[in-house]
Amino acid sequence: MTMGEIADPVQLKEEGNKHFQAGEIDKAIECYTKAIKSCKDKTALAVIYRNRSACFLKKENYNNAVSDASKAIDVDAADIKALYRRCQALEKLGKLDMAFKDVQRCATIEPKNKTFLETLRRLGAEIQQKLKTTFSTDSRVQNMFDILFSDESDKEKQEKAANNLIVLAREDAGAERIFQNNGMPLLVQLIDTGKPEMILAAIRTLSGMCTGHRARATAIIHTVGISKLCSVMAVDNEEIVLATANLLQCVYDSLSGGDKRNYGKEEALVLDSSKDLKDILLALLEMITSKKVSGHGRDQALNLLTKNVPRKDKKNTDNTKALFTIDHGLKKILKVCGQVPDLPDQLPLTENTQLIASVLLNKIYDDLRCDPERDNFRDICDEYIKSKFDPNDMDKNIHAINTLSGLLQGPFDVGNVLAGRQGVMEMMVALCGSEREVDQLVAVEALIHASTKTSKASFFISNGVTLLKDMYKKTKNEKIKIRALVGLCKLGSAGGDDYSMRQFAEGSTEKLAKQCRKWLCNPTLDVRTRKWAVEGLAYLTNDADVKDDFVDDEAAMRAMFELAKSKDKTILYAVACTLVNCTNSYDKKEIIPEMVQLAKFSKQHVPEQHPKDKKDFIERRVKKLLKAGVTSALTVMVKADSSVLTDQTKEMLARVFLALADDIKDRGTIVAQGGGKALIPLALEGTDKGKIKASHALAKIAAVSNPEMAFPGERIYEVVRPLVSLLNTERDGLENFEALLGLTNLAALNDKLRVKILKEKALPEIENYMFEEHDQIRQAATECMCNLVCCKEVQDRYLEDGNDKLKLLVLLCGEDDVQLQRAAAGALAMLTAAQKKLAVKITKVTGQWLEIIQRLCIHDNPEIQHRGLVTVFNMLDADEQLAKKLIESELLEILTFVAKLEDNPKKQDAINAARTCLSRAMDTGLIKPFSN
């Protein structure tokens, strides 16, 4: 009679008991559940509930265990088994006081039961300890605040108290203690002291308290207040500004769904945070045009808007935050773009503020979903710029043109349309002819930004080139000369690296580049002007002669790297462009000979490669860049704030890294200068192409370096995901191969890394590559597997029925490729040592198993022979019948032959293994000892 046919609850209960005793817990639960449904007798039902409670305890499902035990106790309050089971489950759930009451009742019913008395004693001690800790935490919190507010406390004591408070706030229990102990008002008082170290301690403590906790984030908004937080972020202290921006981001995340807690009845109160979120956005928009806000504060306000206004995922159709920001703040962002630092009475800015504002405009424009929304955005910009034009006020005019520059660096299409409006070009001409240096600078920079996308800038090319040439020839002012030159460079580099499309006369490109290098190395020029020299080189290095001259000028390279490390991060894009050009790491169009013939026949343009863009010239340039210290410059560039370091710039840096890591001999230099660490963020965030390039560069480094040196500390665990991302069919063979080598190195280090590789779902991919036709890829995958089989989870996969994993390993041991055999035999030796069942399973996967094992044991390669003999020992050790079968085969002869060999350092491991096998066979009585 099957279980499905049993309807009697008593029989079902008995069936359940049998399953429970056999360790088949799931089947037992199934029986008890069916019995509960059909049982009408209260007392019998209580017993079934009590039994199912025991099952849930075994399954570590403690909530259900408590629930079932309680149902049994409801019927019989003195059910001692149910009481003790509930006590055990409650203890696991951390409800010590309730568990204590249950075991107290057990001990009252059976006062001599040692188990109950021991549990009673233990839980009593734990409860005392917990109370002690709670009270001591409360008094510690109070004590920390007392030290911080005391005028007598010495500085060291105060620093320690501040750090302790920050650490305590990062743990949920600690944060709750601070919150319950009047912590919020006290932290506000700390901020009000005005002392930088106190403000930092308070802000960082608040960040810890609200991370991932919506209720406490709401409390911060209403106790501390958004305006107070914004006034702290407005100060001219970069460290405080960054900490406050981080706090606002934590608050915003927690309010907008970063909190997964269940608040029960309070849900409605806690979860409606839409008004708070809007208030934060409005406060940030207010900050960006306030004169009371420092440059750093303005940067962070713009950064927070950039991070939180646009949609993270374009599949989400809700772009109301972008529309809200346009309605309430687009003109404010435009005002920041239009600031001219050289004029009096401007907003305080840093070198990066206006670029960050342009990036924000671009992100908001990208977030719009239809033409009416885009038209509205453009109309507001158009109206703003028009409103600033004033024939009697030059300052207002240059504000308008500078705003246009900001749009051209952000949503270029909007800027391009507005640049073609009536009166704009005339204004540019007027400004270029002005006596004031500031007017000329603003006009030239606008011309440069307008000529970014040459195909769209035809209007400017016709008018701009003439204007720029005039200025370049006539001006004595170096600042203006250099900018005019960059404009000409940009307009002149439209042909990319196509040798036959050179815009300037032969040789003049090199002359312009020489002038740029001269300016770049001139320490008397201000940083902004020298930055423009790099902008020029970014365009001129499309020409291979210019690339070669630049890498031969070590002083110019070093000057550019120093600028890249400076506080002005607006230069990053130009430096990245220059490096991509010098290393030829841009995407190259494949030139197919047949298409060239066809193009010539139809009189179409055919791209030509410059002789200096050939492989040996590129390699020489890479070596020179490395020698000049390019890696340390790249590592600094990667650390820049995300708003300035755009995804496009990240992709270019990843391309450069990949080009630098091409030669195996250079990878040590890259690691020594911190390149390994710098690549990780590039591989985790950015464009898809950029992430792949960075991941490939990481794979190249991980494949040949000691990973613990290349990626020190916890960083090493972050390398796994990028490498695993290269294991798919869309990636090319070299990427697959080097990723497998890198993972092999990581898997050899420790079990935590092996588990991380499995968590990233790499195992099925590695197994697929073990079937690969390409010998090297198949070998690399097998070596990787050889290092992964130490992991219990991998062994379990080999133990599962219904797969050919073990069969594949045995067959790979029979291949002719020595490296492949070595890896497969190593995996087999480790698997059979760890799991005796696998040693027996070998005999069932293929009829050739014995022949393959024998071939391993007589292999010329001592390592392979040793691994084969270890596998034989594991098989002898696993099962008597199998041991008998092995000893009755030709293997005995092989073992005897190897064991009798004279000691030999090269083969000693194999000889020892053979002797151990024979000893094992003697111990089990399969063979008799040798007689003299």
Side-chain angles (χ1 to χ4, degrees):
M1 191 171 179
T2 65
M3 197 171 73
E5 294 162 3
I6 303 173
D8 177 15
V10 178
Q11 272 183 280
L12 280 165
K13 187 192 83 172
E14 294 304 326
E15 194 75 22
N17 292 353
K18 282 179 195 167
H19 285 308
F20 183 79
Q21 278 152 8
E24 297 164 341
I25 307 299
D26 288 332
K27 286 183 181 172
I29 291 174
E30 202 180 322
C31 287
Y32 293 141
T33 307
K34 285 187 176 175
I36 287 165
K37 282 177 188 166
S38 59
C39 185
K40 302 285 180 281
D41 178 359
K42 249 187 171 182
T43 314
L45 192 59
V47 174
I48 301 168
Y49 270 124
R50 185 179 75 197
N51 290 2
R52 194 172 71 169
S53 172
C55 294
F56 284 133
L57 259 179
K58 286 263 189 211
K59 297 283 288 178
E60 297 180 11
N61 185 340
Y62 302 119
N63 283 316
N64 283 358
V66 169
S67 166
D68 275 6
S70 299
K71 283 170 186 160
I73 295 162
D74 289 344
V75 176
D76 176 8
D79 184 335
I80 201 154
K81 282 186 181 175
L83 279 166
Y84 191 62
R85 272 169 205 164
R86 189 169 73 175
C87 158
Q88 288 173 295
L90 286 166
E91 183 187 350
K92 292 288 187 187
L93 291 168
K95 297 175 180 175
L96 300 184
D97 43 351
M98 290 163 77
F100 185 75
K101 280 176 190 164
D102 278 349
V103 77
Q104 219 171 11
R105 279 163 74 185
C106 292
T108 312
I109 300 163
E110 280 188 25
K112 289 183 180 172
N113 186 314
K114 283 184 181 173
T115 308
F116 298 159
L117 294 171
E118 172 54 32
T119 309
L120 195 62
R121 189 197 57 72
R122 184 169 52 76
L123 285 177
E126 280 181 30
I127 289 168
Q128 285 302 317
Q129 187 55 42
K130 197 174 179 188
L131 286 169
K132 214 190 242 175
T133 313
T134 306
F135 288 126
S136 69
T137 306
D138 289 352
S139 56
R140 265 174 63 215
V141 169
Q142 197 48 56
N143 189 20
M144 286 176 212
F145 279 116
D146 290 345
I147 294 169
L148 290 171
F149 284 118
S150 159
D151 292 331
E152 275 80 64
S153 301
D154 64 9
K155 201 157 187 270
E156 202 175 309
K157 214 172 178 185
Q158 285 189 322
E159 273 177 22
K160 198 173 176 188
N163 283 332
N164 287 344
L165 205 57
I166 295 163
V167 170
L168 192 65
R170 286 181 189 149
E171 291 167 17
D172 196 46
E176 197 54 39
R177 290 260 83 78
I178 298 171
F179 188 63
Q180 299 295 348
N181 278 273
N182 195 33
M184 291 282 188
L186 289 170
L187 289 166
V188 173
Q189 282 181 40
L190 268 188
I191 292 170
D192 290 341
T193 61
K195 295 175 184 171
E197 60 277 14
M198 296 298 148
I199 297 172
L200 271 174
I203 295 292
R204 286 173 177 158
T205 304
L206 287 167
S207 294
M209 286 171 72
C210 74
T211 300
H213 198 293
R214 194 174 300 198
R216 288 201 289 261
T218 309
I220 289 175
I221 293 283
H222 297 289
T223 313
V224 185
I226 299 172
S227 59
K228 176 160 230 94
L229 291 176
C230 288
S231 67
V232 176
M233 197 165 89
V235 301
D236 195 12
N237 175 321
E238 196 171 357
E239 203 177 358
I240 290 176
V241 169
L242 282 168
T244 315
N246 180 48
L247 168 57
L248 277 167
Q249 185 62 57
C250 291
V251 168
Y252 199 93
D253 286 343
S254 298
L255 293 181
S256 57
D259 180 1
K260 303 285 179 280
R261 278 178 183 71
N262 176 12
Y263 286 103
K265 289 172 188 168
E266 302 166 39
E267 192 88 18
L269 296 174
V270 174
L271 296 191
D272 186 25
S273 40
S274 52
K275 185 185 179 300
D276 289 337
L277 290 169
K278 273 187 180 164
D279 288 347
I280 292 175
L281 292 182
L282 286 169
L284 292 171
L285 289 167
E286 209 52 51
M287 275 186 83
I288 60 177
T289 50
S290 161
K291 283 195 173 169
K292 292 177 184 169
V293 176
S294 69
H296 293 304
R298 203 173 320 282
D299 285 0
Q300 290 310 321
L302 290 162
N303 275 339
L304 284 166
L305 290 165
T306 307
K307 279 176 194 163
N308 299 300
V309 170
R311 290 167 289 164
K312 302 270 186 293
D313 180 5
K314 290 284 190 276
K315 286 177 193 158
N316 168 13
T317 54
D318 178 17
N319 67 341
T320 47
K321 282 191 286 186
L323 302 176
F324 178 83
T325 307
I326 289 169
D327 290 345
H328 295 86
L330 180 53
K331 287 182 179 170
K332 291 180 169 153
I333 306 168
L334 292 171
K335 182 177 178 179
V336 175
C337 288
Q339 296 297 298
V340 182
D342 300 336
L343 291 181
D345 205 30
Q346 300 291 296
L347 297 172
L349 308 174
T350 70
E351 304 90 338
N352 305 315
T353 310
Q354 287 172 296
L355 181 62
I356 297 172
S358 293
V359 170
L360 173 57
L361 287 173
N362 196 35
K363 292 248 171 138
I364 293 172
Y365 187 71
D366 270 354
D367 204 43
L368 301 180
R369 297 183 54 229
C370 58
D371 286 342
E373 288 177 5
R374 292 184 197 99
D375 292 345
N376 175 49
F377 183 100
R378 192 173 54 241
D379 291 345
I380 293 172
C381 296
D382 195 11
E383 186 194 320
Y384 181 84
I385 289 174
K386 264 193 214 149
S387 72
K388 298 293 172 195
F389 279 148
D390 182 344
N392 303 318
D393 187 341
M394 231 21 169
D395 286 1
K396 274 180 124 183
N397 291 333
I398 60 175
H399 179 82
I401 295 297
N402 222 23
T403 308
L404 181 62
S405 275
L407 283 164
L408 289 163
Q409 291 173 83
F412 182 84
D413 294 346
V414 176
N416 203 32
V417 169
L418 301 187
R421 292 272 196 266
Q422 192 184 353
V424 175
M425 196 64 206
E426 289 79 351
M427 179 57 67
M428 299 256 200
V429 175
L431 289 172
C432 286
S434 161
E435 292 298 309
R436 281 202 312 179
E437 178 189 282
V438 64
D439 298 340
Q440 294 181 33
L441 287 177
V442 168
V444 178
E445 287 187 16
L447 280 170
I448 292 170
H449 295 309
S451 57
T452 295
K453 297 187 181 175
T454 323
S455 56
K456 292 186 180 178
S458 50
F459 167 77
F460 270 86
I461 291 174
S462 48
N463 299 281
V465 171
T466 327
L467 261 179
L468 291 167
K469 277 187 177 168
D470 276 0
M471 292 187 83
Y472 185 67
K473 284 174 189 162
K474 289 175 187 168
T475 185
K476 295 278 183 289
N477 184 328
E478 294 271 290
K479 289 182 181 179
I480 290 157
K481 207 176 188 66
I482 195 168
R483 286 164 172 78
L485 170 77
V486 173
L488 290 168
C489 293
K490 282 179 91 163
L491 294 169
S493 67
D497 70 345
D498 180 357
Y499 185 42
S500 56
M501 285 277 283
R502 298 175 83 167
Q503 304 277 336
F504 297 128
E506 192 72 46
S508 61
T509 314
E510 286 99 301
K511 273 185 201 158
L512 292 175
K514 191 177 179 184
Q515 185 58 58
C516 280
R517 297 203 314 270
K518 209 163 131 190
W519 278 320
L520 180 57
C521 296
N522 182 351
T524 60
L525 288 173
D526 62 299
V527 171
R528 268 171 68 195
T529 305
R530 289 165 65 208
K531 185 186 90 182
W532 282 104
V534 181
E535 295 271 354
L537 287 167
Y539 291 92
L540 292 168
T541 46
N542 274 307
D543 183 297
D545 286 316
V546 173
K547 299 178 200 186
D548 248 41
D549 291 346
F550 178 61
V551 297
D552 285 336
D553 185 343
E554 195 168 327
M557 280 194 289
R558 287 187 187 280
M560 181 173 85
F561 298 155
E562 284 312 308
L563 278 180
K565 294 176 189 177
S566 71
K567 275 194 172 176
D568 182 350
K569 297 300 175 193
T570 55
I571 195 173
L572 296 182
Y573 185 77
V575 174
C577 277
T578 308
L579 292 172
V580 164
N581 286 340
C582 287
T583 54
N584 286 48
S585 49
Y586 39 76
D587 286 332
K588 299 165 189 69
K589 288 178 188 162
E590 198 180 343
I591 299 173
I592 304 160
E594 290 82 356
M595 295 304 288
V596 172
Q597 292 306 317
L598 199 62
K600 282 181 179 169
F601 181 71
S602 57
K603 297 194 167 56
Q604 292 290 321
H605 169 69
V606 183
E608 284 177 36
Q609 190 187 34
H610 192 293
K612 287 185 180 172
D613 274 331
K614 293 199 163 61
K615 198 166 184 288
D616 49 343
F617 279 93
I618 299 169
E619 284 171 4
R620 190 183 79 90
R621 288 200 286 272
V622 164
K623 302 277 185 232
K624 295 217 163 182
L625 283 165
L626 281 165
K627 186 172 172 248
V630 66
T631 312
S632 58
L634 288 169
T635 55
V636 174
M637 290 164 78
V638 169
K639 289 176 190 155
D641 201 290
S642 59
S643 52
V644 190
L645 187 69
T646 59
D647 285 352
Q648 204 183 348
T649 310
K650 281 188 200 164
E651 182 186 317
M652 292 200 289
L653 296 179
R655 287 173 180 277
V656 174
F657 264 124
L658 184 56
L660 297 175
D662 191 51
D663 185 345
I664 198 165
K665 294 197 282 291
D666 295 329
R667 294 175 200 169
T669 311
I670 295 169
V671 167
Q673 293 178 1
K677 279 187 297 189
L679 272 163
I680 296 170
L682 297 178
L684 295 173
E685 284 174 20
T687 64
D688 288 342
K689 248 185 191 167
K691 288 192 286 192
I692 290 162
K693 301 277 180 197
S695 298
H696 192 189
L698 273 176
K700 282 180 180 294
I701 288 170
V704 298
S705 316
N706 172 352
E708 288 172 307
M709 288 178 72
F711 318 107
E714 291 299 302
R715 276 294 167 79
I716 196 164
Y717 297 99
E718 295 175 54
V719 180
V720 175
R721 182 174 298 168
L723 297 194
V724 174
S725 72
L726 298 176
L727 299 185
N728 71 54
T729 44
E730 287 175 22
R731 306 274 61 82
D732 67 37
L734 184 63
E735 289 167 338
N736 301 155
F737 175 64
E738 292 185 314
L740 286 165
L741 291 183
L743 287 169
T744 304
N745 266 349
L746 292 176
L749 289 175
N750 60 48
D751 215 46
K752 196 174 165 189
L753 273 166
R754 289 189 277 274
V755 170
K756 174 78 175 154
I757 292 171
L758 298 188
K759 272 190 183 161
E760 294 295 344
K761 301 186 173 59
L763 205 60
E765 301 296 344
I766 295 166
E767 282 163 353
N768 286 343
Y769 287 114
M770 288 168 72
F771 287 99
E772 177 68 47
E773 284 179 21
H774 191 290
D775 289 346
Q776 283 176 294
I777 292 178
R778 189 167 52 155
Q779 177 201 320
T782 311
E783 283 180 352
C784 191
M785 185 59 77
C786 177
N787 285 348
L788 285 172
V789 293
C790 314
C791 198
K792 175 83 171 63
E793 286 174 55
V794 180
Q795 293 163 16
D796 291 344
R797 297 280 287 271
Y798 275 89
L799 281 166
E800 284 167 14
D801 291 331
N803 66 55
D804 285 339
K805 297 182 199 310
L806 192 63
K807 180 179 180 178
L808 174 64
L809 260 191
V810 175
L811 292 174
L812 289 176
C813 288
E815 289 283 330
D816 291 332
D817 180 334
V818 173
Q819 294 297 337
L820 182 62
Q821 262 186 308
R822 181 175 159 276
L828 205 58
M830 283 195 273
L831 280 171
T832 50
Q835 300 284 349
K836 291 190 174 184
K837 285 182 186 173
L838 287 173
V840 180
K841 195 176 173 183
I842 286 178
T843 63
K844 296 169 187 165
V845 291
T846 169
Q848 301 164 278
W849 69 271
L850 187 54
E851 185 192 332
I852 289 170
I853 298 283
Q854 286 173 347
R855 278 181 58 196
L856 290 179
C857 293
I858 53 171
H859 204 286
D860 296 341
N861 182 308
E863 265 189 284
I864 295 173
Q865 186 180 25
H866 175 233
R867 290 169 184 208
L869 288 161
V870 169
T871 306
V872 171
F873 174 79
N874 297 335
M875 293 170 85
L876 288 170
D877 198 37
D879 178 85
E880 268 184 55
Q881 289 304 108
L882 174 56
K884 196 162 180 275
K885 193 171 183 178
L886 290 173
I887 292 300
E888 285 170 0
S889 72
E890 290 174 11
L891 250 177
L892 179 57
E893 210 176 310
I894 295 169
L895 291 174
T896 312
F897 171 75
V898 179
K900 283 184 172 176
L901 290 172
E902 282 184 19
D903 285 356
N904 172 350
K906 285 184 182 170
K907 288 195 163 194
Q908 199 58 45
D909 287 342
I911 295 167
N912 291 346
R915 291 172 184 170
T916 313
C917 287
L918 291 175
S919 300
R920 177 73 194 154
M922 284 180 219
D923 293 346
T924 50
L926 289 170
I927 55 173
K928 301 274 184 288
F930 298 124
S931 62
N932 289 334

